[in-house]
Amino acid sequence: MFFTYLRRELRRRRKAALVVALGLALGIGLVITVSSVSTGMRDAQDEVLHSLYGVGTDLTVAKEAKAEEGGSAPQRFKIEGREDGEKASETDDRLMPLGGFDNLDDSVVDKVAAQDGVATAVGALALNDIKFTGDFKPGEMKKEEGKPGSGGGPRVGGGGADIETETFTVMGVDVSALSVGPLSSSKISKGANFAATDTEALKAVVDSAYAKDKDLAVGDKVTIKGKKFEVAGIATADTGASTSNVYIPLAQAQKLADADMKGKVSKVYVKADSSDAIPAVKKAISENVDGATVTSAADLAEQVSGNLSTASNLATNIGKWLSIAVLVAAFLLAGLLTMSAVSRRVREFGTLKAVGWRSGRVVRQVMGEAFANGVLGGALGIGLGLAGAWIVSTVAPTLTATTGGEQPGGPGQGGGPGGGGIAQQLGEGAQQSVDIALKAPVTLSVIVLAVVLAAAGGIIAGCFGGWRAARLRPADALRRVE
Amino acid sequence: MYQLTTVTKRYQRGKQTINALEGVDLTIATGDQLVVQGPTGGGKSTLLQMLGALDRPTAGSVSIDGTDLARLSEAKLTKVRAATIGFVFQSFNLIPTLSAQENVETALVPLGVKPAARRKRAAEALQLVGLGDRLRHLPSELSGGQQQRVAIARALVKEPKVLLADEPTGNLDEDTRDEIMGLLAGLWKDRGLTFVLVTHDSSIARRAPRLAVINNGRLKVTERTP
Ligand SMILES: Nc1ncnc2c1ncn2[C@@H]1O[C@H](COP(=O)(O)OP(=O)(O)OP(=O)(O)O)[C@@H](O)[C@H]1O
Ligand SMILES: [Mg+2]
């Protein structure tokens, strides 16, 4: 009888059922939409962090910055004039460590790798290549060194010299472990990545934005310190923000750098055994490796600003409270509607009690109806929620994430495209913006949550209605039609 | 069957106390018929509630085959209603979403009758009241008289000892009224039921073998020996 009665009620009093179900559906739909938007926000933030770090990288280790040391060494340019005083066209190619001279010893990589919880640790050397091309007029150029000043603009005129500069960043990467490190946040879109045996190869991988700007294709040559590197592949950064313009094998980078960079790396990229292990690994490295600064994704997340983080906070805070409020309202509304539906059926339930139905049986019937309404509301709510999430994903508002310190503007040398990687620039207080289209993915757990909420809503509504039904007197059956 | 002694029922409405029944003494023998008459608000329905175990008296005792309903728990009263008493109401009180057959079945649900047997007995009961061809009709698809027949089938399907009817013809036209009264009288005779009928209809009251008039909660029984 229970199911027959339930089925008849739902079918023949469709409108009443639909009103309760719609109330619940609105609440549940909102929860789904808000949850998936905040999942999308989290994904977007993760994406930003990945671009900062490399997908496979959990921690980076850099040398502890010392106020006195580093960056203070003068950069000098040496362009030889000719003895005979003829007009000359000369080039100088400088390859300097990007972060000044705060470099780590190779041995640190092994030391870090030896720590508990570390899966992989690889070193990378970030360099900045500055090429000077100058026309020199005779007589004005002696054997002396020209001093155009470090990091000058693209066109520096001085001492009778007309000098053009060209800057790009070079990253020496460990070709034996490419899943971790600066290249891990990029995908090879053309050509091929380094092979594990390419340790000494004259091969380069070029960032897609830089390649486009310089019209470089696979098979072309890039000259660094007079060495011609063949472009093996074009790398596209996952979020459009690459860590470097040109990637070459680490050993080559160490060899070619002007300063003595043999056995030096600027950063160690670390992959932990599991994400749970990251805090412990961070602690171990800080304690056991002298003079190292360890940065985790969480540290970087705190530095992510811009409307992404604002929107993310909005979604997680206001969105959460809004959906809780709407949900509570929906539950209450469903409860009250169910209660009033029971009140309208006083004579019906009174009659059943008069016929000999136990109060419990009547209450169960009311609860069953409310639960079915809840399930219907859940189904409608999931539909509404999916529609909401789909709309958000389709409209896909663009969010901007800004990473790095408060000081705006990069250093003067950032004249080249890309201007170096964010990870590198972070230490120098530079900013980098990443645009990300917001998606609202609906996860299985959100659907499960919706089903649970629907059931809960039905049960709550049923409790309201059941409470009312339990208090009905069987004598009410004899009441006159009102 | 029934033995009522100084039954009093009071309703509290705010500060006002309404004495719906006032010291009612009444005996109804098994298989007897009692017709109850009286003005509106006199206490007829309240008396029927006492007899039908729908409510307990404020004072006095209502004993049915020796069991005092005034002392029973709500659960026990429910059992008495389920097993012993058949009700017929003025406004039929059918479940609007259930078919005629399903409405009749509701009376067998608390008795734990299996679904198949339930359906069969409900169909037989409807056959008996002349609605064998209307099993699947909804109440809204039946006339007033037919609806009351369904209600009578529901009251009788469990083979109760007592049939209580509160103005069963109050909502029906004259021809239908006679039909229903004829049906009820026939069933009472055939089944040896104890039958209490509340009615405003003086033509019925005139023919009644035993008449109770209830006024302001006070009951007066007139015996008529033919
Ligand atoms: N649940 C209740 N709460 C308060 N007062 C009630 C309640 N039920 C009945 N009464 C009062 O008790 C008195 C008797 O009511 P009852 O329904 O028994 O009268 P009745 O004789 O059946 O009248 P009618 O012919 O109109 O059906 C009336 O004054 C009524 O207002
Ligand atoms: Mg009445």
Side-chain angles (χ1 to χ4, degrees):
Chain A
M1 199 72 210
F2 176 77
F3 287 107
T4 311
Y5 193 8
L6 183 62
R7 241 184 6 250
R8 298 282 187 273
E9 280 300 319
L10 291 178
R11 212 173 68 215
R12 294 185 178 134
R13 266 201 264 257
R14 227 172 292 148
K15 253 190 230 150
L18 217 61
V19 167
V20 177
L22 265 177
L24 285 172
L26 274 176
I28 290 163
L30 194 74
V31 168
I32 292 180
T33 308
V34 168
S35 300
S36 36
V37 165
S38 60
T39 306
M41 298 279 182
R42 253 198 317 278
D43 288 356
Q45 273 190 321
D46 284 352
E47 216 177 302
V48 170
L49 292 177
H50 282 167
S51 79
L52 295 173
Y53 247 121
V55 185
T57 309
D58 295 323
L59 295 164
T60 57
V61 182
K63 186 162 183 168
E64 213 163 26
K66 290 202 182 85
E68 295 298 298
E69 231 185 297
S72 56
Q75 293 201 344
R76 289 166 172 262
F77 300 93
K78 200 170 188 174
I79 300 174
E80 301 276 327
R82 286 200 190 168
E83 285 287 325
D84 56 12
E86 287 275 294
K87 184 188 171 200
S89 199
E90 291 289 336
T91 331
D92 189 17
D93 195 347
R94 297 251 147 183
L95 194 58
M96 305 301 287
L98 190 63
F101 294 90
D102 280 332
N103 293 299
L104 293 162
D105 211 65
D106 248 353
S107 62
V108 172
V109 180
D110 300 330
K111 233 183 190 173
V112 168
Q115 300 299 317
D116 275 351
V118 172
T120 321
V122 298
L125 180 60
L127 299 166
N128 198 30
D129 188 297
I130 310 171
K131 275 197 181 71
F132 296 85
T133 314
D135 284 331
F136 303 94
K137 289 183 185 114
E140 286 179 48
M141 200 66 199
K142 299 266 165 76
K143 278 189 170 179
E144 288 161 19
E145 297 171 346
K147 286 172 83 178
S150 62
R155 184 172 273 270
V156 182
D162 193 6
I163 301 171
E164 251 179 76
T165 65
E166 194 201 327
T167 313
F168 61 95
T169 51
V170 176
M171 182 74 79
V173 294
D174 188 339
V175 294
S176 62
L178 289 165
S179 63
V180 186
L183 252 182
S184 61
S185 60
S186 297
K187 282 189 186 64
I188 301 299
S189 48
K190 278 194 196 100
N193 208 336
F194 296 111
T197 51
D198 284 341
T199 40
E200 300 279 342
L202 286 173
K203 271 197 199 169
V205 169
V206 180
D207 174 60
S208 57
Y210 184 71
K212 197 175 164 209
D213 195 56
K214 294 290 166 195
D215 229 1
L216 289 168
V218 174
D220 287 353
K221 296 278 195 295
V222 182
T223 311
I224 301 168
K225 288 294 279 185
K227 287 259 168 60
K228 289 196 185 309
F229 285 81
E230 190 186 334
V231 177
I234 307 290
T236 305
D238 290 340
T239 53
S242 67
T243 47
S244 187
N245 298 139
V246 178
Y247 302 85
I248 60 172
L250 179 60
Q252 286 288 359
Q254 289 172 334
K255 216 169 7 184
L256 292 174
D258 287 336
D260 183 16
M261 284 290 142
K262 294 249 155 43
K264 298 275 189 193
V265 293
S266 43
K267 229 162 225 187
V268 182
Y269 292 76
V270 182
K271 170 121 190 78
D273 284 336
S274 72
S275 55
D276 301 335
I278 293 172
V281 171
K282 185 184 174 188
K283 195 156 165 270
I285 297 171
S286 306
E287 281 171 4
N288 301 338
V289 182
D290 282 341
T293 310
V294 191
T295 314
S296 69
D299 299 333
L300 280 176
E302 284 166 15
Q303 297 174 319
V304 174
S305 60
N307 70 5
L308 169 60
S309 62
T310 314
S312 178
N313 288 338
L314 212 71
T316 44
N317 295 327
I318 297 177
K320 190 171 79 191
W321 289 114
L322 180 72
S323 35
I324 288 175
V326 170
L327 206 62
V328 168
F331 281 8
L332 267 176
L333 188 75
L336 292 175
L337 284 171
T338 306
M339 225 161 99
S340 88
V342 172
S343 296
R344 263 181 279 114
R345 287 161 70 189
V346 164
R347 215 149 52 84
E348 179 175 333
F349 293 132
T351 303
L352 288 172
K353 287 189 177 185
V355 156
W357 282 38
R358 275 177 298 103
S359 207
R361 192 184 288 277
V362 176
V363 169
R364 197 178 64 175
Q365 202 69 43
V366 170
M367 295 271 271
E369 281 177 31
F371 188 77
N373 288 342
V375 170
L376 185 65
L380 287 172
I382 288 172
L384 280 178
L386 287 176
W390 179 81
I391 289 168
V392 171
S393 292
T394 307
V395 173
T398 303
L399 297 169
T400 308
T402 308
T403 56
E406 237 71 282
Q407 315 94 296
Q413 59 173 326
I422 311 164
Q424 275 68 35
Q425 292 198 353
L426 257 178
E428 297 161 51
Q431 279 194 325
Q432 176 88 22
S433 288
V434 182
D435 285 345
I436 287 169
L438 179 65
K439 288 257 164 6
V442 179
T443 56
L444 187 69
S445 58
V446 168
I447 298 291
V448 170
L449 175 74
V451 171
V452 169
L453 286 176
I459 289 168
I460 288 171
C463 287
F464 274 82
W467 176 78
R468 181 78 184 83
R471 281 160 34 105
L472 287 181
R473 297 177 335 119
D476 290 331
L478 286 167
R479 284 230 296 248
R480 285 276 163 76
V481 198
E482 278 112 38
Chain B
M1 187 82 217
Y2 279 108
Q3 179 70 56
L4 279 70
T5 28
T6 57
V7 170
T8 300
K9 180 68 185 177
R10 290 192 190 93
Y11 290 112
Q12 201 74 40
R13 196 176 273 163
K15 282 186 180 156
Q16 201 187 350
T17 311
I18 296 154
N19 291 333
L21 290 177
E22 187 76 62
V24 171
D25 292 307
L26 177 68
T27 310
I28 307 170
T30 304
D32 251 14
Q33 191 195 82
L34 178 73
V35 173
V36 183
Q37 246 198 331
T40 289
K44 303 182 293 294
S45 295
T46 307
L47 176 68
L48 223 53
Q49 283 170 29
M50 298 301 124
L51 296 174
L54 289 174
D55 212 344
R56 279 178 290 242
T58 315
S61 78
V62 179
S63 91
I64 175 164
D65 284 342
T67 317
D68 187 2
L69 296 181
R71 290 160 191 270
L72 291 186
S73 66
E74 190 57 51
K76 291 259 173 59
L77 285 181
T78 305
K79 277 205 181 108
V80 171
R81 289 199 296 271
T84 330
I85 293 154
F87 273 107
V88 177
F89 307 95
Q90 176 177 354
S91 40
F92 323 137
N93 291 19
L94 298 176
I95 312 299
T97 52
L98 295 181
S99 70
Q101 188 176 24
E102 286 157 357
N103 261 288
V104 176
E105 281 182 58
T106 59
L108 295 175
V109 167
L111 297 176
V113 181
K114 293 270 172 316
R118 224 162 55 198
R119 274 192 288 278
K120 188 167 160 276
R121 281 174 66 176
E124 284 166 2
L126 283 166
Q127 200 90 45
L128 192 76
V129 298
L131 288 175
D133 54 342
R134 299 295 173 101
L135 302 186
R136 291 177 178 280
H137 287 229
L138 286 178
S140 57
E141 294 161 352
L142 297 170
S143 73
Q146 287 168 331
Q147 286 186 56
Q148 195 61 300
R149 282 166 191 268
V150 175
I152 290 166
R154 177 177 65 187
L156 294 176
V157 70
K158 60 186 168 193
E159 292 167 354
K161 290 185 187 155
V162 180
L163 179 63
L164 303 175
D166 195 354
E167 298 179 41
T169 56
N171 283 6
L172 300 173
D173 63 48
E174 230 163 280
D175 290 345
T176 324
R177 186 184 67 190
D178 293 342
E179 255 177 57
I180 294 292
M181 279 322 300
L183 177 65
L184 284 171
L187 286 167
W188 164 61
K189 273 195 197 109
D190 294 350
R191 301 195 162 205
L193 293 164
T194 305
F195 182 29
V196 179
L197 171 71
V198 171
T199 184
H200 274 302
D201 193 327
S202 32
S203 66
I204 297 169
R206 242 177 278 127
R207 278 183 268 129
R210 195 163 176 240
L211 180 71
V213 177
I214 190 163
N215 203 341
N216 270 329
R218 296 191 181 275
L219 185 93
K220 220 177 91 198
V221 180
T222 321
E223 308 280 351
R224 218 169 302 174
T225 29

